[in-house]
Amino acid sequence: ATSSPTKIALIGCGNISNAYFEGCKNYDNIEIVACADINIPHAQATAAKHGLAFGGSVDELLARPDIEIVVNLTIPAAHADVNRRALAAGKHVYCEKPFTLTSAESAAVVADATRLGLRIGSAPDTFL
């Protein structure tokens, strides 16, 4: 029996999101099902461009029970906050570089993930 793909959502619909939309097409065990952005009309346009049923606010995305992993593509200054909010919502997190801006922020994110039993990761470089 085959299992259904892991449901992924992107937060941050800037230029780098296109690399994730395209790259994820190469794998049958993951599926991007939603995207969100602080600019909701941009999130809606990005969702339409990529055939997603949902493009909207970060809060709405984090409330979705079907999302297992959040890919954080926001601006670096927002990484720690978005990482922590996603973890608090019960989602695993993969963050574009840099993971956070300070070691204290990184320690807080790691502590949250450990306490909640969730996984976190960060991109070593865009092409990976």
mmCIF file with all atom_site columns, all heavy atoms in Angstrom, residues 10 12-22 37 42 46 49-50 73 96 126:
data_model
loop_
_atom_site.group_PDB
_atom_site.id
_atom_site.type_symbol
_atom_site.label_atom_id
_atom_site.label_alt_id
_atom_site.label_comp_id
_atom_site.label_asym_id
_atom_site.label_entity_id
_atom_site.label_seq_id
_atom_site.pdbx_PDB_ins_code
_atom_site.Cartn_x
_atom_site.Cartn_y
_atom_site.Cartn_z
_atom_site.occupancy
_atom_site.B_iso_or_equiv
_atom_site.pdbx_formal_charge
_atom_site.auth_seq_id
_atom_site.auth_comp_id
_atom_site.auth_asym_id
_atom_site.auth_atom_id
_atom_site.pdbx_PDB_model_num
ATOM 1   N N   . LEU A 1 10  ? 3.817  26.548 2.151   1.00 0.00 ? 10  LEU A N   1
ATOM 2   C CA  . LEU A 1 10  ? 4.855  27.570 2.102   1.00 0.00 ? 10  LEU A CA  1
ATOM 3   C C   . LEU A 1 10  ? 4.331  28.851 2.737   1.00 0.00 ? 10  LEU A C   1
ATOM 4   O O   . LEU A 1 10  ? 3.220  29.284 2.438   1.00 0.00 ? 10  LEU A O   1
ATOM 5   C CB  . LEU A 1 10  ? 5.244  27.883 0.658   1.00 0.00 ? 10  LEU A CB  1
ATOM 6   C CG  . LEU A 1 10  ? 5.707  26.743 -0.233  1.00 0.00 ? 10  LEU A CG  1
ATOM 7   C CD1 . LEU A 1 10  ? 6.131  27.288 -1.601  1.00 0.00 ? 10  LEU A CD1 1
ATOM 8   C CD2 . LEU A 1 10  ? 6.828  25.959 0.399   1.00 0.00 ? 10  LEU A CD2 1
ATOM 9   N N   . GLY A 1 12  ? 5.427  32.660 2.791   1.00 0.00 ? 12  GLY A N   1
ATOM 10  C CA  . GLY A 1 12  ? 6.315  33.575 2.081   1.00 0.00 ? 12  GLY A CA  1
ATOM 11  C C   . GLY A 1 12  ? 6.271  33.234 0.598   1.00 0.00 ? 12  GLY A C   1
ATOM 12  O O   . GLY A 1 12  ? 6.725  32.166 0.205   1.00 0.00 ? 12  GLY A O   1
ATOM 13  N N   . CYS A 1 13  ? 5.692  34.092 -0.185  1.00 0.00 ? 13  CYS A N   1
ATOM 14  C CA  . CYS A 1 13  ? 5.477  33.816 -1.615  1.00 0.00 ? 13  CYS A CA  1
ATOM 15  C C   . CYS A 1 13  ? 6.352  34.681 -2.503  1.00 0.00 ? 13  CYS A C   1
ATOM 16  O O   . CYS A 1 13  ? 5.953  35.071 -3.601  1.00 0.00 ? 13  CYS A O   1
ATOM 17  C CB  . CYS A 1 13  ? 4.004  34.004 -1.959  1.00 0.00 ? 13  CYS A CB  1
ATOM 18  S SG  . CYS A 1 13  ? 2.912  32.855 -1.107  1.00 0.00 ? 13  CYS A SG  1
ATOM 19  N N   . GLY A 1 14  ? 7.551  34.978 -2.050  1.00 0.00 ? 14  GLY A N   1
ATOM 20  C CA  . GLY A 1 14  ? 8.492  35.770 -2.856  1.00 0.00 ? 14  GLY A CA  1
ATOM 21  C C   . GLY A 1 14  ? 9.137  34.928 -3.939  1.00 0.00 ? 14  GLY A C   1
ATOM 22  O O   . GLY A 1 14  ? 8.732  33.791 -4.214  1.00 0.00 ? 14  GLY A O   1
ATOM 23  N N   . ASN A 1 15  ? 10.164 35.474 -4.548  1.00 0.00 ? 15  ASN A N   1
ATOM 24  C CA  . ASN A 1 15  ? 10.816 34.819 -5.684  1.00 0.00 ? 15  ASN A CA  1
ATOM 25  C C   . ASN A 1 15  ? 11.310 33.416 -5.384  1.00 0.00 ? 15  ASN A C   1
ATOM 26  O O   . ASN A 1 15  ? 11.213 32.530 -6.229  1.00 0.00 ? 15  ASN A O   1
ATOM 27  C CB  . ASN A 1 15  ? 11.982 35.673 -6.196  1.00 0.00 ? 15  ASN A CB  1
ATOM 28  C CG  . ASN A 1 15  ? 11.510 36.926 -6.886  1.00 0.00 ? 15  ASN A CG  1
ATOM 29  O OD1 . ASN A 1 15  ? 10.397 36.977 -7.410  1.00 0.00 ? 15  ASN A OD1 1
ATOM 30  N ND2 . ASN A 1 15  ? 12.345 37.956 -6.894  1.00 0.00 ? 15  ASN A ND2 1
ATOM 31  N N   . ILE A 1 16  ? 11.854 33.178 -4.192  1.00 0.00 ? 16  ILE A N   1
ATOM 32  C CA  . ILE A 1 16  ? 12.402 31.858 -3.872  1.00 0.00 ? 16  ILE A CA  1
ATOM 33  C C   . ILE A 1 16  ? 11.315 30.786 -3.837  1.00 0.00 ? 16  ILE A C   1
ATOM 34  O O   . ILE A 1 16  ? 11.602 29.605 -4.045  1.00 0.00 ? 16  ILE A O   1
ATOM 35  C CB  . ILE A 1 16  ? 13.198 31.891 -2.544  1.00 0.00 ? 16  ILE A CB  1
ATOM 36  C CG1 . ILE A 1 16  ? 14.031 30.611 -2.365  1.00 0.00 ? 16  ILE A CG1 1
ATOM 37  C CG2 . ILE A 1 16  ? 12.285 32.084 -1.354  1.00 0.00 ? 16  ILE A CG2 1
ATOM 38  C CD1 . ILE A 1 16  ? 15.090 30.385 -3.407  1.00 0.00 ? 16  ILE A CD1 1
ATOM 39  N N   . SER A 1 17  ? 10.075 31.183 -3.624  1.00 0.00 ? 17  SER A N   1
ATOM 40  C CA  . SER A 1 17  ? 9.006  30.177 -3.565  1.00 0.00 ? 17  SER A CA  1
ATOM 41  C C   . SER A 1 17  ? 8.893  29.396 -4.865  1.00 0.00 ? 17  SER A C   1
ATOM 42  O O   . SER A 1 17  ? 8.565  28.209 -4.854  1.00 0.00 ? 17  SER A O   1
ATOM 43  C CB  . SER A 1 17  ? 7.662  30.813 -3.194  1.00 0.00 ? 17  SER A CB  1
ATOM 44  O OG  . SER A 1 17  ? 7.161  31.637 -4.225  1.00 0.00 ? 17  SER A OG  1
ATOM 45  N N   . ASN A 1 18  ? 9.202  30.033 -5.992  1.00 0.00 ? 18  ASN A N   1
ATOM 46  C CA  . ASN A 1 18  ? 9.126  29.328 -7.270  1.00 0.00 ? 18  ASN A CA  1
ATOM 47  C C   . ASN A 1 18  ? 10.064 28.137 -7.325  1.00 0.00 ? 18  ASN A C   1
ATOM 48  O O   . ASN A 1 18  ? 9.714  27.091 -7.876  1.00 0.00 ? 18  ASN A O   1
ATOM 49  C CB  . ASN A 1 18  ? 9.400  30.290 -8.431  1.00 0.00 ? 18  ASN A CB  1
ATOM 50  C CG  . ASN A 1 18  ? 8.287  31.298 -8.596  1.00 0.00 ? 18  ASN A CG  1
ATOM 51  O OD1 . ASN A 1 18  ? 7.110  30.939 -8.579  1.00 0.00 ? 18  ASN A OD1 1
ATOM 52  N ND2 . ASN A 1 18  ? 8.645  32.562 -8.721  1.00 0.00 ? 18  ASN A ND2 1
ATOM 53  N N   . ALA A 1 19  ? 11.257 28.260 -6.737  1.00 0.00 ? 19  ALA A N   1
ATOM 54  C CA  . ALA A 1 19  ? 12.196 27.136 -6.703  1.00 0.00 ? 19  ALA A CA  1
ATOM 55  C C   . ALA A 1 19  ? 11.617 25.972 -5.903  1.00 0.00 ? 19  ALA A C   1
ATOM 56  O O   . ALA A 1 19  ? 11.795 24.811 -6.264  1.00 0.00 ? 19  ALA A O   1
ATOM 57  C CB  . ALA A 1 19  ? 13.532 27.582 -6.097  1.00 0.00 ? 19  ALA A CB  1
ATOM 58  N N   . TYR A 1 20  ? 10.904 26.271 -4.843  1.00 0.00 ? 20  TYR A N   1
ATOM 59  C CA  . TYR A 1 20  ? 10.286 25.224 -4.029  1.00 0.00 ? 20  TYR A CA  1
ATOM 60  C C   . TYR A 1 20  ? 9.102  24.592 -4.759  1.00 0.00 ? 20  TYR A C   1
ATOM 61  O O   . TYR A 1 20  ? 8.948  23.368 -4.750  1.00 0.00 ? 20  TYR A O   1
ATOM 62  C CB  . TYR A 1 20  ? 9.876  25.774 -2.662  1.00 0.00 ? 20  TYR A CB  1
ATOM 63  C CG  . TYR A 1 20  ? 11.052 25.927 -1.740  1.00 0.00 ? 20  TYR A CG  1
ATOM 64  C CD1 . TYR A 1 20  ? 11.845 27.072 -1.782  1.00 0.00 ? 20  TYR A CD1 1
ATOM 65  C CD2 . TYR A 1 20  ? 11.404 24.927 -0.852  1.00 0.00 ? 20  TYR A CD2 1
ATOM 66  C CE1 . TYR A 1 20  ? 12.951 27.213 -0.954  1.00 0.00 ? 20  TYR A CE1 1
ATOM 67  C CE2 . TYR A 1 20  ? 12.506 25.051 -0.020  1.00 0.00 ? 20  TYR A CE2 1
ATOM 68  C CZ  . TYR A 1 20  ? 13.274 26.198 -0.075  1.00 0.00 ? 20  TYR A CZ  1
ATOM 69  O OH  . TYR A 1 20  ? 14.368 26.326 0.737   1.00 0.00 ? 20  TYR A OH  1
ATOM 70  N N   . PHE A 1 21  ? 8.265  25.416 -5.390  1.00 0.00 ? 21  PHE A N   1
ATOM 71  C CA  . PHE A 1 21  ? 7.146  24.861 -6.156  1.00 0.00 ? 21  PHE A CA  1
ATOM 72  C C   . PHE A 1 21  ? 7.660  23.921 -7.249  1.00 0.00 ? 21  PHE A C   1
ATOM 73  O O   . PHE A 1 21  ? 7.128  22.835 -7.430  1.00 0.00 ? 21  PHE A O   1
ATOM 74  C CB  . PHE A 1 21  ? 6.296  25.974 -6.777  1.00 0.00 ? 21  PHE A CB  1
ATOM 75  C CG  . PHE A 1 21  ? 5.333  26.617 -5.828  1.00 0.00 ? 21  PHE A CG  1
ATOM 76  C CD1 . PHE A 1 21  ? 5.503  27.945 -5.444  1.00 0.00 ? 21  PHE A CD1 1
ATOM 77  C CD2 . PHE A 1 21  ? 4.255  25.916 -5.311  1.00 0.00 ? 21  PHE A CD2 1
ATOM 78  C CE1 . PHE A 1 21  ? 4.606  28.549 -4.572  1.00 0.00 ? 21  PHE A CE1 1
ATOM 79  C CE2 . PHE A 1 21  ? 3.357  26.517 -4.434  1.00 0.00 ? 21  PHE A CE2 1
ATOM 80  C CZ  . PHE A 1 21  ? 3.536  27.835 -4.072  1.00 0.00 ? 21  PHE A CZ  1
ATOM 81  N N   . GLU A 1 22  ? 8.688  24.334 -7.964  1.00 0.00 ? 22  GLU A N   1
ATOM 82  C CA  . GLU A 1 22  ? 9.221  23.519 -9.053  1.00 0.00 ? 22  GLU A CA  1
ATOM 83  C C   . GLU A 1 22  ? 9.959  22.294 -8.516  1.00 0.00 ? 22  GLU A C   1
ATOM 84  O O   . GLU A 1 22  ? 9.784  21.184 -9.013  1.00 0.00 ? 22  GLU A O   1
ATOM 85  C CB  . GLU A 1 22  ? 10.130 24.355 -9.955  1.00 0.00 ? 22  GLU A CB  1
ATOM 86  C CG  . GLU A 1 22  ? 9.384  25.405 -10.752 1.00 0.00 ? 22  GLU A CG  1
ATOM 87  C CD  . GLU A 1 22  ? 8.247  24.841 -11.589 1.00 0.00 ? 22  GLU A CD  1
ATOM 88  O OE1 . GLU A 1 22  ? 8.467  23.829 -12.284 1.00 0.00 ? 22  GLU A OE1 1
ATOM 89  O OE2 . GLU A 1 22  ? 7.131  25.397 -11.527 1.00 0.00 ? 22  GLU A OE2 1
ATOM 90  N N   . ASP A 1 37  ? 1.089  34.470 2.794   1.00 0.00 ? 37  ASP A N   1
ATOM 91  C CA  . ASP A 1 37  ? 2.004  35.599 2.751   1.00 0.00 ? 37  ASP A CA  1
ATOM 92  C C   . ASP A 1 37  ? 1.353  36.736 3.524   1.00 0.00 ? 37  ASP A C   1
ATOM 93  O O   . ASP A 1 37  ? 0.122  36.789 3.650   1.00 0.00 ? 37  ASP A O   1
ATOM 94  C CB  . ASP A 1 37  ? 2.247  36.017 1.296   1.00 0.00 ? 37  ASP A CB  1
ATOM 95  C CG  . ASP A 1 37  ? 3.452  36.922 1.137   1.00 0.00 ? 37  ASP A CG  1
ATOM 96  O OD1 . ASP A 1 37  ? 3.315  38.149 1.324   1.00 0.00 ? 37  ASP A OD1 1
ATOM 97  O OD2 . ASP A 1 37  ? 4.536  36.400 0.826   1.00 0.00 ? 37  ASP A OD2 1
ATOM 98  N N   . HIS A 1 42  ? -1.197 38.679 -2.893  1.00 0.00 ? 42  HIS A N   1
ATOM 99  C CA  . HIS A 1 42  ? -0.051 38.011 -3.527  1.00 0.00 ? 42  HIS A CA  1
ATOM 100 C C   . HIS A 1 42  ? -0.098 36.504 -3.258  1.00 0.00 ? 42  HIS A C   1
ATOM 101 O O   . HIS A 1 42  ? 0.189  35.696 -4.146  1.00 0.00 ? 42  HIS A O   1
ATOM 102 C CB  . HIS A 1 42  ? 1.265  38.613 -3.032  1.00 0.00 ? 42  HIS A CB  1
ATOM 103 C CG  . HIS A 1 42  ? 2.466  38.039 -3.688  1.00 0.00 ? 42  HIS A CG  1
ATOM 104 N ND1 . HIS A 1 42  ? 2.707  38.137 -5.043  1.00 0.00 ? 42  HIS A ND1 1
ATOM 105 C CD2 . HIS A 1 42  ? 3.500  37.324 -3.178  1.00 0.00 ? 42  HIS A CD2 1
ATOM 106 C CE1 . HIS A 1 42  ? 3.837  37.516 -5.334  1.00 0.00 ? 42  HIS A CE1 1
ATOM 107 N NE2 . HIS A 1 42  ? 4.338  37.017 -4.218  1.00 0.00 ? 42  HIS A NE2 1
ATOM 108 N N   . THR A 1 46  ? -0.323 33.665 -6.092  1.00 0.00 ? 46  THR A N   1
ATOM 109 C CA  . THR A 1 46  ? 0.662  32.578 -6.131  1.00 0.00 ? 46  THR A CA  1
ATOM 110 C C   . THR A 1 46  ? -0.046 31.232 -6.097  1.00 0.00 ? 46  THR A C   1
ATOM 111 O O   . THR A 1 46  ? 0.321  30.317 -6.846  1.00 0.00 ? 46  THR A O   1
ATOM 112 C CB  . THR A 1 46  ? 1.646  32.707 -4.947  1.00 0.00 ? 46  THR A CB  1
ATOM 113 O OG1 . THR A 1 46  ? 2.309  33.973 -5.043  1.00 0.00 ? 46  THR A OG1 1
ATOM 114 C CG2 . THR A 1 46  ? 2.669  31.586 -4.957  1.00 0.00 ? 46  THR A CG2 1
ATOM 115 N N   . LYS A 1 49  ? -1.542 30.580 -9.491  1.00 0.00 ? 49  LYS A N   1
ATOM 116 C CA  . LYS A 1 49  ? -0.480 30.280 -10.466 1.00 0.00 ? 49  LYS A CA  1
ATOM 117 C C   . LYS A 1 49  ? -0.043 28.821 -10.376 1.00 0.00 ? 49  LYS A C   1
ATOM 118 O O   . LYS A 1 49  ? 0.275  28.196 -11.388 1.00 0.00 ? 49  LYS A O   1
ATOM 119 C CB  . LYS A 1 49  ? 0.716  31.210 -10.222 1.00 0.00 ? 49  LYS A CB  1
ATOM 120 C CG  . LYS A 1 49  ? 1.930  30.907 -11.077 1.00 0.00 ? 49  LYS A CG  1
ATOM 121 C CD  . LYS A 1 49  ? 3.082  31.841 -10.735 1.00 0.00 ? 49  LYS A CD  1
ATOM 122 C CE  . LYS A 1 49  ? 4.343  31.453 -11.480 1.00 0.00 ? 49  LYS A CE  1
ATOM 123 N NZ  . LYS A 1 49  ? 5.479  32.308 -11.103 1.00 0.00 ? 49  LYS A NZ  1
ATOM 124 N N   . HIS A 1 50  ? -0.038 28.274 -9.166  1.00 0.00 ? 50  HIS A N   1
ATOM 125 C CA  . HIS A 1 50  ? 0.472  26.914 -8.950  1.00 0.00 ? 50  HIS A CA  1
ATOM 126 C C   . HIS A 1 50  ? -0.643 25.891 -8.718  1.00 0.00 ? 50  HIS A C   1
ATOM 127 O O   . HIS A 1 50  ? -0.367 24.753 -8.320  1.00 0.00 ? 50  HIS A O   1
ATOM 128 C CB  . HIS A 1 50  ? 1.475  26.912 -7.796  1.00 0.00 ? 50  HIS A CB  1
ATOM 129 C CG  . HIS A 1 50  ? 2.709  27.694 -8.116  1.00 0.00 ? 50  HIS A CG  1
ATOM 130 N ND1 . HIS A 1 50  ? 3.690  27.222 -8.959  1.00 0.00 ? 50  HIS A ND1 1
ATOM 131 C CD2 . HIS A 1 50  ? 3.090  28.937 -7.750  1.00 0.00 ? 50  HIS A CD2 1
ATOM 132 C CE1 . HIS A 1 50  ? 4.640  28.132 -9.075  1.00 0.00 ? 50  HIS A CE1 1
ATOM 133 N NE2 . HIS A 1 50  ? 4.301  29.181 -8.350  1.00 0.00 ? 50  HIS A NE2 1
ATOM 134 N N   . LEU A 1 73  ? 9.637  30.745 4.092   1.00 0.00 ? 73  LEU A N   1
ATOM 135 C CA  . LEU A 1 73  ? 10.361 31.509 3.076   1.00 0.00 ? 73  LEU A CA  1
ATOM 136 C C   . LEU A 1 73  ? 10.207 33.009 3.278   1.00 0.00 ? 73  LEU A C   1
ATOM 137 O O   . LEU A 1 73  ? 10.348 33.791 2.343   1.00 0.00 ? 73  LEU A O   1
ATOM 138 C CB  . LEU A 1 73  ? 9.853  31.124 1.679   1.00 0.00 ? 73  LEU A CB  1
ATOM 139 C CG  . LEU A 1 73  ? 9.898  29.643 1.331   1.00 0.00 ? 73  LEU A CG  1
ATOM 140 C CD1 . LEU A 1 73  ? 9.309  29.399 -0.052  1.00 0.00 ? 73  LEU A CD1 1
ATOM 141 C CD2 . LEU A 1 73  ? 11.315 29.102 1.419   1.00 0.00 ? 73  LEU A CD2 1
ATOM 142 N N   . GLU A 1 96  ? 14.160 28.593 5.150   1.00 0.00 ? 96  GLU A N   1
ATOM 143 C CA  . GLU A 1 96  ? 15.191 29.104 4.245   1.00 0.00 ? 96  GLU A CA  1
ATOM 144 C C   . GLU A 1 96  ? 16.248 29.792 5.100   1.00 0.00 ? 96  GLU A C   1
ATOM 145 O O   . GLU A 1 96  ? 15.979 30.213 6.229   1.00 0.00 ? 96  GLU A O   1
ATOM 146 C CB  . GLU A 1 96  ? 14.526 30.057 3.242   1.00 0.00 ? 96  GLU A CB  1
ATOM 147 C CG  . GLU A 1 96  ? 15.380 30.541 2.105   1.00 0.00 ? 96  GLU A CG  1
ATOM 148 C CD  . GLU A 1 96  ? 16.156 29.482 1.353   1.00 0.00 ? 96  GLU A CD  1
ATOM 149 O OE1 . GLU A 1 96  ? 15.572 28.690 0.596   1.00 0.00 ? 96  GLU A OE1 1
ATOM 150 O OE2 . GLU A 1 96  ? 17.389 29.463 1.524   1.00 0.00 ? 96  GLU A OE2 1
ATOM 151 N N   . THR A 1 126 ? 20.296 27.599 -1.367  1.00 0.00 ? 126 THR A N   1
ATOM 152 C CA  . THR A 1 126 ? 19.080 27.567 -2.171  1.00 0.00 ? 126 THR A CA  1
ATOM 153 C C   . THR A 1 126 ? 19.032 26.365 -3.113  1.00 0.00 ? 126 THR A C   1
ATOM 154 O O   . THR A 1 126 ? 18.012 25.706 -3.241  1.00 0.00 ? 126 THR A O   1
ATOM 155 C CB  . THR A 1 126 ? 18.935 28.870 -2.971  1.00 0.00 ? 126 THR A CB  1
ATOM 156 O OG1 . THR A 1 126 ? 18.899 29.940 -2.046  1.00 0.00 ? 126 THR A OG1 1
ATOM 157 C CG2 . THR A 1 126 ? 17.672 28.865 -3.811  1.00 0.00 ? 126 THR A CG2 1
#
